[in-house]
Amino acid sequence: MRKTFESIDRHVDVSSAYMPVHPEARDCSDSIPQIDVDEVMDIDRNVRDIDPAVVVYNHRYRIEDIDFYDEYPLVHIRHGASIGRGEVDVTVASIGHAIDVALAPGERWARRYREAFPDDVRVAVVGIPEADDLVAAESPRQKRVLYAPTNHNYGGGSYLATAETVLDTFADTEYELLFRPHPMDQTEEPGRSLTQACRERIASLPNVIFDEHSTPGESMLNADILISDYSGIVAEWLHTGRPLIQFTDIAAEDNTVPEIGNVMSIADFDVSVIDDLYNHGSSKPVAKREAAFRAELGIPMDGHAGERAATEVIACTR
């Protein structure tokens, strides 16, 4: 989640730092100074000891257990922007009582925020700061494909149903595959066992790389095509204008994959699909559908989301 903070902080012209709220978050950023705290789980006491002008959250972590927001302005911004998992409803149900400002990725989110949050919560559309570098970036044209589905346990994504077939499809082809499971599918079962099996197989596939980047930004910059489902990475990828494949083989029975790019089941996927997209791009009907969905999301894709978010945060310090 540091990707969001780092993308905003580079536009902040006042003293700033991050406070780890979980042991694994210690020393997670090289670009933002860390405030060392003795008990990372004691969020309320730590915030009060630090006495900041404003606090920024990019998640809902333990929002029900804290009350520092009674004394300090709290700004909420999403890390990424999931497009088909009910995340907007979960957000509005859990944080409205605590925040002063809600920074929405786009109008789709802002509309729900305005409907559900108290009247004194200010809502501003800023975009997705971590996607700024993708705007106007040229496709590398290196026959490189990024596979990055959403997580299984929380997102009900397509990983368990598609990972092994994706490896089968790319084995011994002229394409390079960046294989990027969601971080939670690298640490929690059942995704963890599948990830380990895929790692072992990838060791014998010279054209497949297990993507170890801590955030997906560099991987997206270096890919010509994205394979996903309804992960938040899709909303970032839309900034590139490059082809998108969406697998519909998701685990969540009560969700559906919104049709944005080239939508298909894993049963219909083979290397000819990649050949066609790499050589010709998406078809006109798919491009038209993607453009319509981008308009519905209402995400500003101009490369200035981080600047807008920083301006909103700094305004709370005055």
Side-chain angles (χ1 to χ4, degrees):
M1 297 176 192
R2 67 177 175 83
K3 62 182 184 179
T4 312
F5 288 131
E6 290 178 345
S7 300
I8 296 172
D9 190 68
R10 62 188 180 184
H11 302 290
V12 171
D13 58 3
V14 297
S15 178
S16 63
Y18 78 91
M19 183 187 82
V21 296
H22 193 279
E24 294 178 358
R26 289 187 187 273
D27 303 317
C28 71
S29 178
D30 294 328
S31 63
I32 308 177
Q34 174 180 288
I35 293 180
D36 294 318
V37 293
D38 294 331
E39 298 292 336
V40 294
M41 305 295 280
D42 195 347
I43 300 173
D44 275 332
R45 180 173 63 83
N46 290 333
V47 169
R48 291 182 171 107
D49 286 348
I50 295 164
D51 193 28
V54 60
V55 180
V56 183
Y57 251 41
N58 70 347
H59 199 257
R60 305 179 308 276
Y61 183 67
R62 290 183 57 197
I63 196 73
E64 70 281 358
D65 298 330
I66 62 174
D67 62 15
F68 72 78
Y69 51 79
D70 290 333
E71 304 165 41
Y72 298 94
L74 180 59
V75 177
H76 179 268
I77 184 166
R78 305 182 57 81
H79 66 286
S82 296
I83 55 174
R85 292 171 30 187
E87 275 291 288
V88 181
D89 292 332
V90 172
T91 297
V92 299
S94 59
I95 67 169
H97 68 286
I99 60 174
D100 297 282
V101 179
L103 305 184
E107 284 295 340
R108 183 187 190 186
W109 292 263
R111 286 192 296 269
R112 286 291 292 117
Y113 290 175
R114 294 182 186 114
E115 291 169 0
F117 288 159
D119 292 340
D120 60 352
V121 174
R122 184 158 59 87
V123 177
V125 174
V126 296
I128 304 177
E130 55 265 40
D132 280 348
D133 290 341
L134 298 173
V135 176
E138 293 186 5
S139 182
R141 302 302 295 170
Q142 295 293 319
K143 292 193 170 183
R144 188 177 298 120
V145 179
L146 172 61
Y147 169 69
T150 198
N151 63 79
H152 175 78
N153 286 350
Y154 306 101
S158 63
Y159 181 55
L160 298 189
T162 62
E164 292 174 309
T165 302
V166 167
L167 290 181
D168 291 340
T169 301
F170 280 90
D172 301 319
T173 70
E174 60 184 342
Y175 293 98
E176 180 179 274
L177 177 68
L178 303 178
F179 187 89
R180 185 180 179 85
H182 189 279
M184 300 309 298
D185 283 322
Q186 300 183 48
T187 60
E188 294 185 355
E189 295 293 356
R192 182 173 62 180
S193 294
L194 175 59
T195 299
Q196 183 58 38
C198 289
R199 269 185 182 273
E200 293 172 1
R201 185 175 180 200
I202 288 169
S204 65
L205 297 175
N207 65 319
V208 181
I209 297 171
F210 193 95
D211 188 357
E212 302 278 10
H213 289 121
S214 58
T215 65
E218 185 173 345
S219 305
M220 286 189 282
L221 283 170
N222 290 327
D224 299 297
I225 298 170
L226 172 67
I227 302 174
S228 189
D229 37 42
Y230 52 25
S231 169
I233 200 173
V234 169
E236 296 180 50
W237 183 258
L238 290 176
H239 291 65
T240 69
R242 303 173 200 168
L244 164 68
I245 294 173
Q246 292 177 279
F247 286 142
T248 56
D249 312 84
I250 57 174
E253 296 180 356
D254 56 343
N255 287 340
T256 57
V257 174
E259 295 190 356
I260 307 171
N262 300 273
V263 184
M264 67 189 67
S265 167
I266 187 66
D268 300 318
F269 178 70
D270 59 36
V271 73
S272 68
V273 173
I274 300 297
D275 285 336
D276 188 51
L277 289 175
Y278 184 79
N279 292 319
H280 306 293
S282 295
S283 67
K284 288 184 178 179
V286 170
K288 183 176 180 180
R289 184 172 66 209
E290 179 181 311
F293 198 84
R294 282 173 50 144
E296 178 187 335
L297 294 178
I299 299 173
M301 298 184 183
D302 57 3
H304 298 288
E307 296 173 41
R308 283 188 292 271
T311 297
E312 296 290 343
V313 171
I314 293 171
C316 294
T317 68
R318 299 189 178 101

